[in-house]
Amino acid sequence: MSKLNRGKKTTIYDIADYCQVSPSTVSRVLSGSDYPVSKEQREKIVEAARVLKYVPNMLGKHLKSDRGRDIGVVIPNMSDYYGTLLRGIQHVALAHDSQIILCDSYRDAAKEENNVNLLLQKQVKGILIASIDGDGKVLRQIIDKGMPVVAMEQDVDADCNRTGFNFFAGGAMAAKHLADCGHREVAFVTSPLQRTSRKKVLAGYQQALAERGLAIREEHLYIESYENDDDELYDFMVGKRAAEHFLSLDNPPSAVFCINDIAAIGLIRQLQVRKVAVPGDISVVGFDNIPFSEMITPSLTTIDQSTYDLGRLSADLLFNHVLSENQAAPAHVSLQLEPKLIVRESTATFSGN
C-alpha cells in the first residue's frame, strides 16, 4: 500500500490506492450502489474510508441527484428591505427542504445578467428575481430557458408569475394622512428616481395632494443626485442632507414624507440635532415599516409594505410551479399586496397658521 499524502483532503483516489482497487469500485461502495463487490472488499474499502477520514463531496452528490431543490434569488442589494424579503422567502424554502442560492446584483445590469447565467448553469429548480432591468431582457432570458420564475416588483411585459406591491397607493396613503392632519406644505425625500417603485410612490404622493388642491413647491421635492449601495449609511445620510436642505429654505415644510424608513430616521435625527421638534414643528412619515421604525424616539409613522409577506408569497408561487412541473403548468398569475398606514408618534395635527 502507498503512503497517504498528509495535509491534503482524502479522495476516492487515495482510498483506491490504499486498497489497491479502482476508483470506480470505491465510488460504488461508498455511494451504496448495488454493483456487485465482494463482502471482503466492501468491508476493506469502508474501513479504509474511516481510517483515512474520508469526507464525501456532498456538493457533487447533490449535483448528480435529481432531489436537489435549490432555488436562486436575485436582488439589487442587501438593504433592510431585501433582508426582510429574504426572511419570507427562506421561511417557505425551508418548509420545502430547499436551500437558497443568493445573488446580489449591486444594481448593476451586467452583474445581474451574470448572476442569472450562473443560476441557469447550476440548474436550480427556479428563480425569484427583483430585477433592475427595466425592459425585461433578463427576465425573458430566464423564461426562454424554460426555468420556473417569479418576477418580484417588476412591471414589464413578460409571461410569467409575478408578485408586487401597490407603491402608488402607498405614496397616496402617506400624503393623504399628512393632509388629513392639516398639513399644507408636504415635502418628499427620495433616492434617485431610477426604480419604477420610487416613481410610483412619488406619483401617488403627487396625486393625493393634487386631489386636495395642495400645490407642491419645487424646493420641497428633495431627490438625491446619486446612489451608493456600498455605503450602509447612505439612506440615513440622504435623510440628514434633506433635513438641512429644508431648514435652509425661507418656507420650510411642516411635514415630510420619505421614500424609506432609514431616510426618515436620518431626517428626524438631523432635525433633533438642529433643535427642531418632531412632530411639534415638522411631522415625518417613512415607508417600509422596518422593525427599527418602532424603536426610535419618536416612533415613526410609516407605510407597511408587507415585505415579509411578499417574500413568502413569491416563494409560494415558485414552489407551486416547481411541485407541478410534471403536470400541466398552472396559469400565470399576478398578485399585488396593498399598503397599510401605521400611525405612531412622528406625525401630529398641524397647529400652525
Side-chain angles (χ1 to χ4, degrees), residues 233-297:
L233 292 177
Y234 168 76
D235 288 316
F236 183 77
M237 296 307 297
V238 168
K240 295 190 73 171
R241 288 191 288 269
E244 285 298 324
H245 166 75
F246 295 137
L247 293 179
S248 71
L249 301 176
D250 293 334
N251 183 28
S254 66
V256 181
F257 169 39
C258 295
I259 196 66
N260 59 52
D261 287 348
I262 296 297
I265 290 169
L267 184 136
I268 290 173
R269 177 57 184 148
Q270 192 61 21
L271 292 177
Q272 291 172 334
V273 168
R274 294 288 300 274
K275 309 301 182 185
V276 177
V278 177
D281 298 317
I282 296 180
S283 287
V284 179
V285 174
F287 200 101
D288 284 340
N289 194 28
I290 63 173
F292 195 59
S293 65
E294 191 171 6
M295 304 176 195
I296 65 168
T297 302

Side-chain angles (χ1 to χ4, degrees), residues 174-346:
K176 180 180 182 299
H177 169 66
L178 291 170
D180 289 347
C181 287
H183 295 280
R184 295 296 176 262
E185 301 285 350
V186 180
F188 181 71
V189 175
T190 182
S191 308
L193 295 171
Q194 298 170 344
R195 295 170 57 186
T196 301
S197 58
R198 293 173 186 167
K199 294 176 183 177
K200 288 183 176 181
V201 172
L202 173 59
Y205 150 86
Q206 291 172 321
Q207 180 168 308
L209 294 183
E211 288 175 350
R212 286 159 179 75
L214 301 179
I216 302 172
R217 298 175 184 268
E218 183 177 352
E219 63 268 26
H220 286 173
L221 288 178
Y222 183 88
I223 302 174
E224 188 61 59
S225 60
Y226 72 98
E227 190 149 23
N228 184 3
D229 285 334
D230 293 330
D231 183 359
E232 293 182 353
L233 292 177
Y234 168 76
D235 288 316
F236 183 77
M237 296 307 297
V238 168
K240 295 190 73 171
R241 288 191 288 269
E244 285 298 324
H245 166 75
F246 295 137
L247 293 179
S248 71
L249 301 176
D250 293 334
N251 183 28
S254 66
V256 181
F257 169 39
C258 295
I259 196 66
N260 59 52
D261 287 348
I262 296 297
I265 290 169
L267 184 136
I268 290 173
R269 177 57 184 148
Q270 192 61 21
L271 292 177
Q272 291 172 334
V273 168
R274 294 288 300 274
K275 309 301 182 185
V276 177
V278 177
D281 298 317
I282 296 180
S283 287
V284 179
V285 174
F287 200 101
D288 284 340
N289 194 28
I290 63 173
F292 195 59
S293 65
E294 191 171 6
M295 304 176 195
I296 65 168
T297 302
S299 56
L300 182 64
T301 295
T302 186
I303 300 298
D304 188 342
Q305 199 170 335
S306 302
T307 310
Y308 181 85
D309 292 336
L310 182 62
R312 291 187 61 171
L313 183 65
S314 302
D316 274 334
L317 266 181
L318 182 61
F319 279 105
N320 285 339
H321 190 117
V322 170
L323 292 175
S324 62
E325 60 186 357
N326 293 322
Q327 307 169 15
H332 292 140
V333 296
S334 294
L335 301 174
Q336 179 173 260
L337 295 175
E338 296 297 325
K340 296 185 286 288
L341 175 67
I342 308 298
V343 179
R344 297 194 180 104
E345 300 169 343
S346 66

Side-chain angles (χ1 to χ4, degrees), residues 17 57 60 109 119 123 133 152 167 182 184 217 305 347 350:
D17 190 33
N57 184 345
L119 294 173
Q123 298 182 331
D133 177 23
M152 302 181 292
F167 290 99
R184 295 296 176 262
R217 298 175 184 268
Q305 199 170 335
T347 54
F350 182 57

